[in-house]
Amino acid sequence: PLLFSSFDFCQDKEEKRPSENLGQVLFGERIASSPYKFTFKKQETCKKVCTRSYDPGNSADKSKLAFLKKGMQLNYQHHWIIDNMPVTWCYDVEDGQKYCNPGFPIGCFVTPDGRVKDACVINSEFNKKNTFYLFNHVDITIMYHSGKDENWPGARLVMARLRPQSYKHTDENSLSCEGPPMEIPGEFNDKLNLVYTYSVTFEEKNSIKWASRWDYILESMPHTNIQWFSYIICCNLRCSMPFTSVVCFLSYPVSWQAVILVVSNIVDFIQEDAQEEFGWKLVHGDVFRPPRKGMLLSVFLGQGTQIFIMTFITLFLACLGFLSPANRGALMTCAVVLWVLLGTPAGYVSARMYKTFRGEKWKTNVLLTALLCPGIVFADFFIMNLILWVKGSSAAIPFGTLVAILAMWFGISVPLTFVGAYFGFKEKPIEHPVRTNQIPRQIPEQSFFTKPLPGIIMGGILPFGCIFIQLFFILNSIWSHQMYYMFGFLFLVFIILLITCSEATVLLCYFHLCAEDYHWWWRSFLTSSFTAVYLFIYAVHYFFSKLQITGTASTILYFGYTMIMVLIFFLFTG
């Protein structure tokens, strides 16, 4: 994203910038006051905002106009806010449906070979080859809920929509907002005047209550019903009870295996049948043998616990409405603050598991828990921010905010991790029900499906199948400026993902133990965390099929931020 002032648009002479919270800064939201001034219930028709003139002999003018053309080529969009509500642009699509977008383009472009690009399809007059069409006029409709029927004075704004238009204003003193569109030729040879205008109307809409005024944003996401379709894909059953279907789909085989084991063991005990042990019973003396790289596994478990609790609390609060889109940046702010404050569980789990693994380098364990994964995320984030700084993007985080994040990390999160590790090392190691043999048992030759890699690859398929529909909407909200508000669906998918990952891992671990392979520690972590690999593959598919990103820097930014998301998801699912 770029600041509004980066382009040569009309600027507010008394520009005011509200203070942004941490979430807004991290997401690159920079809100500025607008030169479009309204008075409640005062209609305006074709009112002039400003004029911009460009002389082909002036290098500065050529540079400004070239930058404006580049923005139209890349389909840059305005994002306007009135009374904290996004202003939507609605237009007709196929099958007579209406699609609403929380932003509108600054213009559009017809290529030299006559191909109509982006928003130019909405008007048949946009047809001249190698020509840019600037949306220099907007028709704004503001709807309000009057209080006269409810015996309270005044009114409340409940909806704001606009329609971008392109008009070539030939006479600034007599504006009519009619006629041919505002054309900007691909070759800039003649002097050019761009006049920006707007019209505004107010409509009373008492059918829309103040409490539900954000509901009209639903029209900006016409695929709402596809949310339920994701549960059908998850379980291949009816979507009338999506949660129960998915859980039962996986719970049945796990429960079935457990019941058979219990019953068979009871029968063996009653009959005192001295049968030869087989399957998983043969590895009871090796199953709790500490894993290789136990230090790294304990660190991953601690960090994963921290992310899991953070995600659960954040989604729960969002589901209750405390982190709605109306509270801009609240979701990210809540997530970051919770992560900082949850260093204690991370330190405790990591230290307790490392002690259970009979590790002795406790100082290294504590430092890695506090610094390894957060350090990787911060290094990636810092490199991405350097690129944004160089490109002059509004998403670049100020240096002061980076210092504040470091202060929160080292001043709050790291000490809390040390406190958690202290209590974790004071606790006794987790007691195992059987003693571990001195000599490791030899593992027999494994079949293809009981080898580690095939099991890990298969283990991540089902959890990913539960989330990929939601993943599409989340990526849309991040990269395509769509509004994400379906936190109830997301929380439900979160619970399904938890149970699916857990039960898929339990089931596959049982099969591997039956094959007398007792190396289950890392396999249990990687089976479900391999879902993050499928997430990355889907992100690559989304990049090439849905986005129109050009340039090396933008590509690096996309995959850099995607890797942060993949790492967090890897730790969480593991």
Side-chain angles (χ1 to χ4, degrees), residues 215-248:
D215 289 355
Y216 78 99
I217 301 297
L218 290 170
E219 296 182 30
S220 68
M221 292 185 68
H223 309 294
T224 306
N225 291 333
I226 205 170
Q227 300 282 351
W228 289 107
F229 182 65
S230 64
Y231 303 116
I232 301 175
I233 294 176
C234 263
C235 59
N236 198 24
L237 296 170
R238 294 176 169 226
C239 71
S240 56
M241 296 182 66
F243 179 79
T244 307
S245 301
V246 174
V247 174
C248 290

Side-chain angles (χ1 to χ4, degrees), residues 49 79 97 130 146 238 242 302 304 339 357 369-370 382-383 403 459 467 469 498 500 504 514-515 517 522 531 553 555:
V49 183
H79 290 269
Q97 294 182 341
N130 194 26
S146 176
R238 294 176 169 226
W339 180 85
F357 295 156
T369 304
F382 184 75
I383 293 171
V403 173
I467 65 165
I469 295 291
L498 280 183
T500 307
C514 286
D517 185 353
W522 271 108
T531 310
T555 303

Side-chain angles (χ1 to χ4, degrees), residues 111-123:
T111 62
D113 58 357
R115 284 188 295 115
V116 178
K117 303 282 288 185
D118 301 317
C120 281
V121 299
I122 65 174
N123 194 331

